[in-house]
Amino acid sequence: MATAVETPLPARQIQPPEDLFATELAFLAAYDSGPRPPAWRLTPRAVVTFVMGSGDELKLPEAVPGLPRTLTVGAKFVGDRALVERCVVTLAGERGLLLVGEPGTAKSMLSELLAAAVCGTSGLTVQGTAGTTEDQLKYGWNYALLLAQGPSRGALVPSPVLTAMTTGGVARIEEVTRCLPEVQDALVSLLSERRIAVPELAGSADAQVHAAPGFTLIATANLRDRGVSEMSAALKRRFNFETVGPIGDHDAEIALVRRQAKAAVERTGTAYTVDDTVLEVLVTAFRDLRTGRSAEGWEIERPSTVLSTAEAVSVASSLALAAAYFPGDRDVLGLLPGHLLGVAKKDDPADADRLLSYWDAAVRRRAEHGSATWRTLWDLRGVLEG
Ligand SMILES: Nc1ncnc2c1ncn2[C@@H]1O[C@H](COP(=O)(O)OP(=O)(O)OP(=O)(O)O)[C@@H](O)[C@H]1O
Ligand SMILES: [Mg+2]
């Protein structure tokens, strides 16, 4: 007897949020049937719930085939709910949204989550670089078709932005400030006129591509690279700015780091064995060095590199993988100073000395006050001298 063979999706290193959270998105669409802005998949409130998590279990008013009756939507972005609400309102008003902040504060992640929830895809993306051209924001041509048929709508290759315009979707522009000013300027006219002229198709109905209702842009910009200050005033005016800061709450940051490190290990099919005290000192050290002040109020010399949550996540994941693949070899805490040095020493060699002075001040004082974990770290000071 023939049986239907389901072709499994090929394995991917990273699933986009619209695939990873497909059930949550479908559930939220059924759960909140309130009014939606044009072309939106979810209500604005459901978009916020998707990003921030529902906390409690949600129950569908009636059963929907293929969906669970109840679901707790997981928290994804850790931070200010009011900020996420403002982002959603900006998008609902079809205004451009610019997420700015230090590296590693989840700007890209937030923009992907918002795009996936609003229009069902986070994939309409242009990566801003010094080499980004205006064509990459507008359209190009399929030259074989162009030569065979001459300019026609069929031979036109839309950019992700143009696709978002025609479908009423959300296009994402990563690191917009890295684009050259003249390329950034292409966005000004696009955001004000909401159409792209195709001069090659002059005289036909396709000479102008108009944005469908719902179309908008989310751009991200990193404060450490070419600054937002270099954006033209005209472009700035067309975006609502939201600054994404580092995670304020110590415990929330530990919980996030734990969740992500666990996920990294679970992907390999091995067990997660890192003790919470290790994560706690890791996150504490990152926060001390990031803010220049310890929880006890001691002044700390800050390295010039960014010690972001994203880096705390990757160090925690490395420690967790080391514990999984080399069990019993060595206490993972022993690996922490080396990893911290790797993160801190990226830009300025003097940052290694700053880390050492952190050890001589904060780590030593905590070791003297009796915490075994900090004492172990203090004993590992030698790793940082070199
Ligand atoms: N507030 C946060 N909530 C959830 N995850 C966070 C948060 N801050 C950092 N992270 C972690 O950091 C990772 C990297 O974030 P992302 O790449 O989106 O940062 P970014 O701000 O775009 O950085 P860059 O400026 O370098 O592009 C996320 O995948 C997540 O693991
Ligand atoms: Mg980014």
Side-chain angles (χ1 to χ4, degrees):
M1 195 178 70
T3 49
V5 179
E6 250 188 50
T7 326
L9 279 175
R12 297 173 181 165
Q13 283 197 332
I14 295 181
Q15 299 278 9
E18 57 272 25
D19 293 346
L20 190 58
F21 305 113
T23 308
E24 283 187 4
L25 290 169
F27 184 93
L28 283 168
Y31 175 76
D32 189 348
S33 55
R36 297 156 200 212
W40 279 39
R41 300 276 182 107
L42 302 181
T43 63
R45 188 188 299 275
V47 174
V48 177
T49 305
F50 174 68
V51 173
M52 303 299 295
S54 61
D56 299 330
E57 190 176 67
L58 305 178
K59 184 162 194 259
L60 288 180
E62 55 198 47
V64 175
L67 286 182
R69 189 71 193 264
T70 58
L71 189 72
T72 306
V73 178
K76 298 164 191 78
F77 174 70
V78 177
D80 188 8
R81 186 182 192 91
L83 175 138
V84 176
E85 285 174 0
R86 285 195 303 273
C87 293
V88 170
V89 169
T90 298
L91 299 176
E94 296 175 338
R95 286 214 17 112
L97 171 65
L98 181 59
L99 299 173
V100 295
E102 292 281 315
T105 46
K107 300 177 294 297
S108 300
M109 187 186 101
L110 180 58
S111 84
E112 285 183 21
L113 291 171
L114 289 169
V118 167
C119 75
T121 177
S122 59
L124 299 173
T125 309
V126 178
Q127 180 68 46
T129 69
T132 305
T133 61
E134 222 178 299
D135 292 357
Q136 286 163 348
L137 294 178
K138 293 182 166 176
Y139 59 89
W141 294 100
N142 174 333
Y143 286 102
L145 278 180
L146 187 67
L147 289 175
Q149 305 172 352
S152 67
R153 187 69 193 256
L156 187 142
V157 180
S159 71
V161 179
L162 192 72
T163 304
M165 285 175 78
T166 49
T167 55
V170 179
R172 302 193 307 117
I173 305 195
E174 285 281 316
E175 309 295 351
V176 68
T177 47
R178 287 194 198 151
C179 298
L180 296 175
E182 52 272 30
V183 177
Q184 292 183 26
D185 284 346
L187 290 175
V188 175
S189 65
L190 199 146
L191 278 172
S192 42
E193 292 162 25
R194 305 275 164 162
R195 63 181 176 196
I196 289 181
V198 189
E200 295 89 339
L201 300 180
S204 80
D206 294 320
Q208 302 273 350
V209 181
H210 293 268
F215 162 70
T216 188
L217 279 178
I218 308 178
T220 62
N222 189 314
L223 290 175
R224 292 276 173 139
D225 294 334
R226 262 183 43 179
V228 176
S229 55
E230 288 172 44
M231 275 172 84
S232 72
L235 185 54
K236 280 189 202 156
R237 197 162 61 72
R238 279 163 181 84
F239 281 106
N240 278 2
F241 279 55
E242 286 298 340
T243 305
V244 186
I247 298 176
D249 184 61
H250 187 258
D251 292 342
E253 189 167 357
I254 294 180
L256 172 78
V257 168
R258 186 191 308 113
R259 196 166 74 220
Q260 304 248 4
K262 253 191 182 144
V265 172
E266 276 159 12
R267 276 198 292 275
T268 69
T270 40
Y272 172 83
T273 56
V274 180
D275 206 272
D276 259 5
T277 51
V278 175
L279 292 189
E280 200 171 320
V281 291
L282 184 158
V283 170
T284 304
F286 266 83
R287 292 174 71 90
D288 290 348
L289 293 162
R290 186 189 303 151
T291 56
R293 181 170 289 274
S294 75
E296 298 88 340
W298 307 327
E299 290 274 341
I300 283 158
E301 207 189 340
R302 282 168 55 175
S304 57
T305 13
V306 190
L307 286 121
S308 69
T309 304
E311 267 137 342
V313 166
S314 66
V315 171
S317 304
S318 299
L319 298 185
L321 287 171
Y325 285 129
F326 305 102
D329 267 20
R330 193 171 174 193
D331 187 6
V332 284
L333 189 59
L335 304 174
L336 182 55
H339 278 286
L340 264 180
L341 187 61
V343 172
K345 219 171 63 175
K346 280 196 293 273
D347 297 334
D348 180 359
D351 283 344
D353 299 333
R354 296 193 179 105
L355 192 59
L356 210 50
S357 65
Y358 173 66
W359 239 254
D360 290 339
V363 176
R364 185 172 55 82
R365 280 169 90 170
R366 288 184 187 133
E368 284 168 2
H369 284 84
S371 156
T373 323
W374 290 101
R375 230 173 6 245
T376 312
L377 276 189
W378 171 245
D379 292 341
L380 291 162
R381 183 183 182 279
V383 176
L384 303 175
E385 296 169 316

